[in-house]
Amino acid sequence: MRVHRIFTTAFSSVYPHYVNKAERKGRTKAEVDEIIRWLTGFDQPTLERHLKDDTTFDEFFAAADLNSNATLITGVVCGIRVENVEDPLMQKIRYLDKLIDELAKGKKMEKILRS
């Protein structure tokens, strides 16, 4: 079975792109962090440790306690419906991508965090 390259990519190498995407649209790094904490169950020091330690996406999501409302995240990222992604790790990555897309599109945090 072929392992997707993103699985072994350091989360810290993609994180700045999430922040840049949000900031270009007038959102903040704090909002990006809030989304990541909501999805993963990490507190801020734990998130920062993963960034410092260059944790891979595989390790990052293996350590996460995914929010029970994550299954409410639906829609299309890169032409693929996130709710139909079969690989569990890839689906978690796509969930995060979708949440960051929603932030950049100006959605309210309450809606993004499925409150």
Side-chain angles (χ1 to χ4, degrees):
M1 182 174 199
R2 194 170 146 245
V3 174
H4 199 282
R5 187 175 71 177
I6 192 69
F7 297 171
T8 58
T9 299
F11 178 76
S12 62
S13 70
V14 178
Y15 175 79
H17 298 288
Y18 293 144
V19 173
N20 288 338
K21 183 174 190 170
E23 289 179 341
R24 278 194 318 268
K25 299 295 186 168
R27 303 308 285 260
T28 66
K29 175 186 175 297
E31 289 174 308
V32 171
D33 288 357
E34 183 178 354
I35 286 169
I36 295 168
R37 290 192 316 264
W38 176 86
L39 181 63
T40 62
F42 296 148
D43 58 15
Q44 191 65 32
T46 303
L47 171 58
E48 290 171 9
R49 188 186 80 242
H50 282 290
L51 291 168
K52 182 179 76 61
D53 293 347
D54 290 330
T55 304
T56 66
F57 271 94
D58 187 22
E59 296 163 336
F60 183 77
F61 279 108
D65 182 18
L66 208 66
N67 190 297
S68 60
N69 286 339
T71 56
L72 300 176
I73 302 167
T74 60
V76 177
V77 175
C78 298
I80 298 169
R81 295 204 69 78
V82 295
E83 61 269 28
N84 296 338
V85 174
E86 291 185 18
D87 184 282
L89 176 55
M90 182 60 80
Q91 187 175 51
K92 292 171 188 171
I93 295 168
R94 293 301 184 192
Y95 282 159
L96 180 55
D97 291 343
K98 181 65 179 168
L99 295 174
I100 299 299
D101 283 354
E102 291 176 356
L103 180 68
K105 288 179 180 168
K107 264 193 164 181
K108 293 181 189 282
M109 285 301 283
E110 304 83 50
K111 293 219 183 253
I112 295 170
L113 302 182
R114 308 311 195 252
S115 304

